[in-house]
Amino acid sequence: MLRFVARRLFFAVPTLLAVMTMVFVLVRIVPGDPAQTILGDQASQEALQIMRERLGLDRPLLEQYVDFMTGALTGDWGQSMVTGKPVLTEVARVLPYTIDLTVVSLLIGAVIGIPLGAWSALHRNELIDYVTRVGSLLGLSFPAFVSAILLLIAFSIQLRWFPVISGGGRDNLGEWASNLALPAINLGLIMAAYITRVTRSSMLGSLGEDYIRTARAKGVPGRVIVWRHAMRNALIPVVTVVGLYLGILIGNSVLTEIVFNRPGLGKLIVGALGQRDYTLLQGLMVVYTFVIVVVNLLTDLTYGLIDPRVKYQ
Amino acid sequence: MTASVLLASGLALGAGTMGQALAGPDTNILNVGIAAPDAGRLDPHLSATTIDKAVFGWMFNGLVRFKPGTASPATVEADLAESWTSSDDGLEWTFNLREGVQCHLNYGELTSEDVVYSLERAADPNRSSFASDFEVFDKVEALDTYKVKITLKSAVPSLLGLVTNYHGGNIVCKKAAEEMGEDFQKRPVGTGPFMFSEYQPQQYLKLAANPDYFRGKPQLDGINYQYIPSDSARDLAFQSGELDMLYGKQDQTWVERTEKIEGAVVHVMEPAEMSVMHLNTATKPLDDVRVRRAIAMAVNREQFLDFKGRGVTRIAKSVVPQGYLGYDDMTDMMPKYDVEGAKKLLAEAGYPDGVTVKAIHTSLPGMLSTMEVFQAQLAQAGIKLDLEVVEHATFHAQIRKDLSQVVHYSAARFPVADTYLTQFYHSNSIVGTPGGITNFSHCAVADAEIEQARVEQNKEKQLQLWKTAQEKIMSEICSVPIYENLQIWATRDYVDLGYDLIGSLSLGPPVTENTRFTK
């Protein structure tokens, strides 16, 4: 299995290099000028030119590219063009927040979604099934930032359980939980809607299989049939979808982070894009790509845990 | 659209059901919410963004300052300098510094050395964004520990304006700036009532009260300046009492909604940002003054006021905003609203079937809605405005490459006519040229008057020159001034600013040693 992991990571290298090149080119194709962001709108062309030289943007593209690639490979990701802070420090500062949010939302999604999906499948075409299906469809179609505002109005303004500005406290468990609760519920509910639907249809598929009928004929108790025979087989597509969906979750986290004013990769990347902070954008895109690669790898490894027939070579 | 309606109704719901008034602040720290994802470079000589300027006003002093709460050159008063004198020709200025002023973080007493260093720094294009403002400086000398002499190459409309607590006039502490170099922007050191304490990117900037402030220890313990880009989150945080001071939207409905929150006070203050449509006179068909006049005649300013709200906007009356030194009411020269007349004029110019003009515009909602109204008004006169909407940073880059025939620009500047006229209407500022700033119209009809007024020592003659410059630009119709939008902030009623807030050039209400919570 270690060889499998090593090989997969090795194959990720060309992907990362390609992404780095594309990002380098793309951020520079988009019109906009980091110097203008820094100096404001009263700066003269002369002042802008001096700032561009200071940022190294006047040098030939190839030279900038070689610098960026060699720097990135040797661990020097440069400094944010706008704040002047090292890119790696910036990324490292917000990464834990994004991981917290993603993992906890995923857990909320799985804890709600898997049992609900299974339950719905078992009561196919009954009232509970309809309610679940409509509910999950609503969850899927609701924009994350609207649900975020509704949560804020309910829990922060009306009930005053949580602060509106989540802020960045991670020092003790209470503060951590209070800052994380609403954003994680917001994303978790959307995740739950997804997982419910996939679990339901996958469960329906496996409940119709021959081996289920055989098990029933043998007199295996219903609980065992559902949880051991049907569920275990139904989980493979669920894991695939969750793996794929994690990418979308990170995308949705952008809006959630902005509305709850929570630090995170998403918020950082939107800010960097608006300010045309080339160096920071480059660093962030590489981190994103790497996260997706790792998530895909973890998804593949999870298959083995669920299905003993899966072998890693 | 649906999303914003949902958001608005959500907010209205939140506002409507908000019951109890807030008891008061939990701490003696002023929590401020600003509409921005992050700070820029925290160096007063580098950053000119609205987001950073307010903070610089709280951390730094100038030789002189605008009286807190005002934004008019007439109210300039002593700050780091106790007194000053100038020669008759206006070329030599001597400032006597206040003694015993301490730099933040134990960087020692502020002396003439620091002032000389700061002004030289502000004039150096490698270290300052405002170097061009100081081009007229010949030399700055320290006569003794507390005496600074500024010699100018030529007289300027307002030397005191250049050394106020604004832009390059902010005085930094030499020892700190030299010691830290590039890192100064991560821990700026000044002499103001509040000093740098902590900065978390995209989260907050914390300032602590300066116990040694020369006007006395501030009554607040500090300021927590929070970067909150989401409009709705910022408003909700103010509503829940997490913010004591809030950057508002220049929008009537926002003002009305916020005023309904119990304990909220909305401040409408100077300076106004003037919304102007700059017409590129170097391109067809706008090179024909009749076409430009037709555009101006198709504009219904009253409709704009109804649309933007009369409580936050006023009609623009000249190519220089109201209240600026040198401003002159040009209402009589503004082409009157007359759609039929506009059509006739177009036909006369050889365009009986109307014209099409191209405009690149930002997607920022507040600005875009204005442009859409403008587009609809022009359409009635047979002028088709081809609108290409792009993201904000792209907009700024493209209009500076001369790619838009009509540029909608909204700006407030230092309140002396010279600044506005130079940046928007002097030929040296034409976009695309080395000195280019924001002359999008390629206007060059008033260069002589603008330059003469800059050095004219006779105040009356100077005003006359500025008036002539405005007349020339108006009759050339280089641009169509539309309306002026005032700055909006909100505070909780327990915040006593310590002065009457009429305006603030830093675009944020000053927080002084007298600002306090009343409960």
Side-chain angles (χ1 to χ4, degrees):
Chain A
M1 194 167 97
L2 269 180
R3 271 187 55 192
F4 170 78
V5 174
R7 212 177 56 194
R8 281 289 296 272
L9 285 178
F10 176 74
F11 280 125
V13 174
T15 313
L16 279 173
L17 290 179
V19 166
M20 282 160 74
T21 308
M22 271 182 63
V23 169
F24 178 88
V25 175
L26 280 178
V27 294
R28 281 168 177 77
I29 287 180
V30 180
D33 184 355
Q36 190 92 54
T37 312
I38 295 165
L39 297 181
D41 69 341
Q42 296 189 52
S44 67
Q45 294 293 332
E46 256 171 326
L48 291 174
Q49 191 52 37
I50 290 171
M51 181 50 89
R52 279 187 215 116
E53 281 164 24
R54 264 175 73 180
L55 296 172
L57 291 171
D58 59 321
R59 296 178 307 152
L61 269 188
L62 195 67
E63 201 182 310
Q64 292 183 46
Y65 176 70
V66 171
D67 257 22
F68 162 59
M69 288 305 249
T70 46
L73 294 177
T74 53
D76 173 16
W77 293 32
Q79 294 183 331
S80 154
M81 286 187 177
V82 178
T83 62
K85 287 202 174 182
V87 171
L88 266 184
T89 319
E90 291 289 271
V91 173
R93 185 180 59 81
V94 300
L95 199 55
Y97 294 98
T98 300
I99 294 176
D100 283 355
L101 181 61
T102 316
V103 170
V104 175
S105 333
L106 185 62
L107 282 179
I108 294 177
V111 167
I112 299 176
I114 293 177
L116 203 60
W119 195 28
S120 179
L122 289 171
H123 297 87
R124 189 182 183 181
N125 291 340
E126 292 173 24
L127 179 67
I128 182 70
D129 184 29
Y130 287 120
V131 172
T132 311
R133 279 158 70 186
V134 171
S136 60
L137 194 62
L138 199 69
L140 285 189
S141 7
F142 224 69
F145 62 96
V146 176
S147 50
I149 296 284
L150 293 179
L151 283 174
L152 278 179
I153 290 175
F155 293 100
S156 301
I157 300 287
Q158 295 295 326
L159 297 171
R160 303 199 171 244
W161 289 357
F162 303 102
V164 176
I165 308 165
S166 296
R170 285 178 95 246
D171 299 340
N172 61 62
L173 197 64
E175 198 181 7
W176 176 81
S178 126
N179 282 332
L180 185 60
L182 288 184
I185 291 171
N186 189 38
L187 283 187
L189 288 180
I190 296 173
M191 194 75 189
Y194 244 91
I195 295 180
T196 307
R197 290 186 82 78
V198 180
T199 312
R200 178 183 175 274
S201 65
S202 169
M203 218 24 204
L204 281 178
S206 61
L207 282 172
E209 293 286 343
D210 289 345
Y211 59 81
I212 298 291
R213 197 178 45 202
T214 310
R216 282 196 207 281
K218 281 201 305 188
V220 178
R223 201 163 28 91
V224 179
I225 292 176
V226 171
W227 293 111
R228 188 179 296 168
H229 297 276
M231 181 59 104
R232 202 123 181 214
N233 282 297
L235 274 183
I236 294 261
V238 174
V239 170
T240 311
V241 167
V242 167
L244 285 175
Y245 191 69
L246 264 181
I248 303 175
L249 189 66
I250 295 174
N252 257 327
S253 71
V254 172
L255 294 170
T256 306
E257 282 163 5
I258 288 177
V259 176
F260 291 101
N261 221 42
R262 187 185 154 79
L265 282 182
K267 199 165 160 229
L268 203 58
I269 208 162
V270 171
L273 192 62
Q275 301 181 310
R276 299 289 188 273
D277 193 337
Y278 294 162
T279 36
L280 188 56
L281 266 179
Q282 285 164 183
L284 283 167
M285 292 307 282
V286 174
V287 172
Y288 261 93
T289 315
F290 191 71
V291 168
I292 300 286
V293 167
V294 170
V295 166
N296 279 340
L297 181 61
L298 287 176
T299 313
D300 286 351
L301 291 177
T302 317
Y303 292 156
L305 291 177
I306 299 169
D307 189 343
R309 288 170 300 177
V310 175
K311 292 270 181 292
Y312 300 103
Q313 280 163 355
Chain B
M1 187 66 207
T2 330
S4 55
V5 170
L6 265 174
L7 277 183
S9 49
L11 283 173
L13 181 82
T17 47
M18 171 82 181
Q20 74 282 23
L22 291 153
D26 301 333
T27 56
N28 198 21
I29 306 272
L30 184 76
N31 283 292
V32 185
I34 180 80
D38 202 355
R41 302 205 166 205
L42 290 172
D43 181 326
H45 294 161
L46 269 186
S47 179
T49 63
T50 310
I51 309 140
D52 301 326
K53 270 197 281 201
V55 182
F56 297 149
W58 305 333
M59 296 173 78
F60 293 92
N61 295 102
L63 285 176
V64 294
R65 69 170 184 176
F66 288 93
K67 191 169 165 247
T70 68
S72 154
T75 66
V76 165
E77 62 180 24
D79 200 13
L80 290 174
E82 278 176 327
S83 59
W84 54 90
T85 53
S86 70
S87 61
D88 291 341
D89 57 3
L91 292 177
E92 288 179 10
W93 291 73
T94 310
F95 291 87
N96 301 306
L97 299 185
R98 198 185 281 267
E99 292 181 26
V101 174
Q102 295 297 322
C103 289
H104 297 157
L105 308 169
N106 297 322
Y107 272 100
E109 191 188 1
L110 184 110
T111 63
S112 47
E113 289 275 306
D114 299 279
V115 176
V116 171
Y117 174 81
S118 283
L119 293 177
E120 282 175 357
R121 189 176 189 261
D124 175 4
N126 284 313
R127 291 179 292 172
S128 159
S129 310
F130 312 108
S132 56
D133 295 348
F134 293 87
E135 267 167 10
V136 288
F137 275 40
D138 184 22
K139 56 186 177 198
V140 186
E141 304 155 277
L143 297 184
D144 63 41
T145 319
Y146 301 109
K147 205 177 272 256
V148 179
K149 184 176 159 196
I150 299 173
T151 313
L152 302 175
K153 292 176 198 155
S154 58
V156 289
S158 171
L159 181 275
L160 287 182
L162 282 175
V163 294
T164 50
N165 53 340
Y166 175 75
H167 281 180
N170 284 306
I171 302 296
V172 302
C173 292
K174 178 183 179 184
K175 196 175 156 208
E178 280 187 337
E179 227 174 73
M180 290 192 239
E182 283 274 327
D183 283 344
F184 185 73
Q185 55 182 287
K186 294 176 194 162
R187 214 162 62 102
V189 174
T191 51
F194 294 90
M195 52 193 192
F196 179 85
S197 159
E198 187 194 351
Y199 165 63
Q200 276 295 338
Q202 304 199 329
Q203 289 290 116
Y204 56 76
L205 167 67
K206 287 185 175 167
L207 304 180
N210 171 13
D212 305 318
Y213 186 51
F214 62 84
R215 287 192 178 91
K217 185 176 179 289
Q219 303 208 33
L220 291 170
D221 290 339
I223 303 171
N224 186 4
Y225 191 66
Q226 310 193 41
Y227 302 99
I228 311 177
S230 158
D231 290 348
S232 27
R234 210 169 49 246
D235 291 351
L236 285 174
F238 180 70
Q239 200 178 316
S240 75
E242 284 167 60
L243 296 176
D244 310 304
M245 192 190 272
L246 174 71
Y247 177 83
K249 274 173 97 169
Q250 292 168 319
D251 174 67
Q252 187 85 23
T253 45
W254 187 91
V255 170
E256 284 166 12
R257 194 175 70 222
T258 307
E259 275 171 343
K260 281 195 191 119
I261 299 175
E262 213 177 322
V265 183
V266 175
H267 307 271
V268 180
M269 68 173 199
E270 305 276 349
E273 284 170 71
M274 187 158 76
S275 250
V276 179
M277 302 294 170
H278 297 269
L279 308 176
N280 189 333
T281 57
T283 60
K284 275 200 175 314
L286 297 178
D287 54 345
D288 189 329
V289 70
R290 289 171 294 185
V291 177
R292 300 201 296 273
R293 184 170 294 277
I295 290 180
M297 284 161 77
V299 170
N300 180 354
R301 287 189 183 71
E302 291 295 330
Q303 200 177 45
F304 273 104
L305 281 209
D306 288 333
F307 177 67
K308 299 302 278 189
R310 287 174 190 267
V312 295
T313 355
R314 62 188 178 214
I315 282 188
K317 292 178 176 167
S318 174
V319 289
V320 171
Q322 292 162 56
Y324 284 36
L325 180 66
Y327 153 82
D328 220 287
D329 189 338
M330 296 275 145
T331 310
D332 292 344
M333 288 194 71
M334 291 263 183
K336 296 277 169 294
Y337 173 56
D338 177 5
V339 176
E340 288 312 312
K343 281 183 188 166
K344 238 164 78 187
L345 208 52
L346 277 184
E348 217 174 274
Y351 303 99
D353 302 324
V355 288
T356 302
V357 251
K358 191 193 166 191
I360 295 174
H361 200 271
T362 170
S363 56
L364 281 191
M367 282 183 77
L368 184 57
S369 56
T370 295
M371 198 58 168
E372 284 164 348
V373 174
F374 181 66
Q375 188 184 34
Q377 292 185 351
L378 292 195
Q380 300 203 328
I383 303 160
K384 186 167 177 263
L385 190 66
D386 214 345
L387 203 54
E388 185 188 337
V389 180
V390 296
E391 182 268 345
H392 196 62
T394 306
F395 162 73
H396 272 291
Q398 295 195 331
I399 56 175
R400 282 173 175 75
K401 287 186 185 139
D402 231 355
L403 294 174
S404 184
Q405 284 190 288
V406 178
V407 175
H408 172 209
Y409 212 83
S410 173
R413 292 289 177 261
F414 192 79
V416 172
D418 178 59
T419 327
Y420 224 89
L421 292 173
T422 301
Q423 292 188 9
F424 288 100
Y425 302 102
H426 192 283
S427 62
N428 284 348
S429 308
I430 293 176
V431 287
T433 61
I437 308 177
T438 43
N439 182 345
F440 303 109
S441 60
H442 293 243
C443 201
V445 289
D447 283 9
E449 287 78 10
I450 297 173
E451 284 164 26
Q452 282 167 31
R454 207 177 285 154
V455 293
E456 179 57 60
Q457 284 308 295
N458 181 317
K459 296 295 164 202
E460 257 166 52
K461 275 191 194 154
Q462 190 180 42
L463 290 178
Q464 186 53 49
L465 284 165
W466 277 329
K467 186 178 176 191
T468 315
Q470 289 169 72
E471 281 166 355
K472 284 192 168 179
I473 297 165
M474 293 289 299
S475 62
E476 188 71 11
I477 314 188
C478 296
S479 65
V480 185
I482 310 277
Y483 60 79
E484 297 184 4
N485 222 342
L486 291 145
Q487 309 294 321
I488 313 288
W489 282 77
T491 52
R492 284 273 163 198
D493 56 2
Y494 51 71
V495 178
D496 173 10
L497 290 167
Y499 55 84
D500 290 330
L501 183 56
I502 302 161
S504 168
L505 211 52
S506 68
L507 305 184
V511 180
T512 71
E513 69 286 359
N514 296 323
T515 305
R516 65 190 182 104
F517 292 135
T518 51
K519 57 180 173 186

